[in-house]
Amino acid sequence: MKSTFVMSVVGPDSPGTIKTIAETTRALGGEWLKSKVMRLDGNLTAMMKVAIDPDNEPRLKSELLQDFPELQFFYSAVATGSSVPTKSITLVLDCKDRPGLTKDINAILANLDLVVENMECNRAHVSTIGEAVFTARIALAVPEDRNSEAVADEIESMAKGIRVNVV
């Protein structure tokens, strides 16, 4: 039986980093069951759910540390899943930007007991209106019986001036 854990990687990005980490994992008989990679301003952060023979797990961790001294590696146990069946929905939020907006959106999502799977936020100044606008694309895990449009309506009703679309 294989050992399963979540590996997180953070540090400066360079061409081929993710490919080489994957090759190192495969060379030791491991595989990534799931992965998410994000790059921002020359930096890399990634999470991988790794399955590997328990005898090779210490060797993998040691080789990655040796081969990538500029990166930080973190390891955690795989969390047990919820017993409530869920589905993923994606929402796009648009509004005028203001201080504390991201915090307020996260509080609304938490108050609605919604699980954020992924959230990408962007701010841009629009010269024609003379203001900054905020856009967020949010992937949520919601109970299967929950209506996507109803979730969007709930968020709009809790935050003045936010438009929410289900995509």
Side-chain angles (χ1 to χ4, degrees), residues 90-94 135-138 162-167:
T90 301
L91 305 176
V92 174
L93 284 70
D94 295 301
T135 296
R137 184 178 186 92
I138 306 171
I162 291 182
R163 305 267 306 153
V164 182
N165 294 302
V166 178
V167 292

Side-chain angles (χ1 to χ4, degrees), residues 87 89 91 108 112 114 140 142 145-158 164-166:
K87 64 180 178 181
I89 65 169
L91 305 176
I108 290 168
L112 294 173
L114 301 175
L140 300 169
V142 299
D145 61 349
R146 200 139 180 208
N147 178 291
S148 302
E149 293 294 334
V151 171
D153 291 344
E154 286 179 86
I155 294 169
E156 279 186 351
S157 71
M158 295 181 82
V164 182
N165 294 302
V166 178

Side-chain angles (χ1 to χ4, degrees), residues 16-33:
T17 299
I18 291 296
K19 180 182 175 193
T20 307
I21 294 171
E23 289 169 349
T24 302
T25 305
R26 279 193 302 276
L28 293 169
E31 63 181 319
W32 294 355
L33 303 175

Side-chain angles (χ1 to χ4, degrees), residues 45-106:
T45 187
M47 292 180 70
M48 302 86 165
K49 182 177 180 182
V50 179
I52 193 166
D53 185 302
D55 295 336
N56 287 339
E57 184 178 337
R59 186 171 167 204
L60 172 64
K61 292 175 179 179
S62 174
E63 285 189 25
L64 291 173
L65 194 58
Q66 180 181 339
D67 294 347
F68 299 95
E70 71 282 5
L71 298 176
Q72 295 179 37
F73 291 87
F74 304 93
Y75 305 96
S76 356
V78 175
T80 56
S82 167
S83 60
V84 177
T86 61
K87 64 180 178 181
S88 291
I89 65 169
T90 301
L91 305 176
V92 174
L93 284 70
D94 295 301
C95 63
K96 290 182 187 178
D97 194 19
R98 63 174 172 76
L101 181 59
T102 305
K103 180 182 130 213
D104 292 346
I105 290 169
N106 281 309

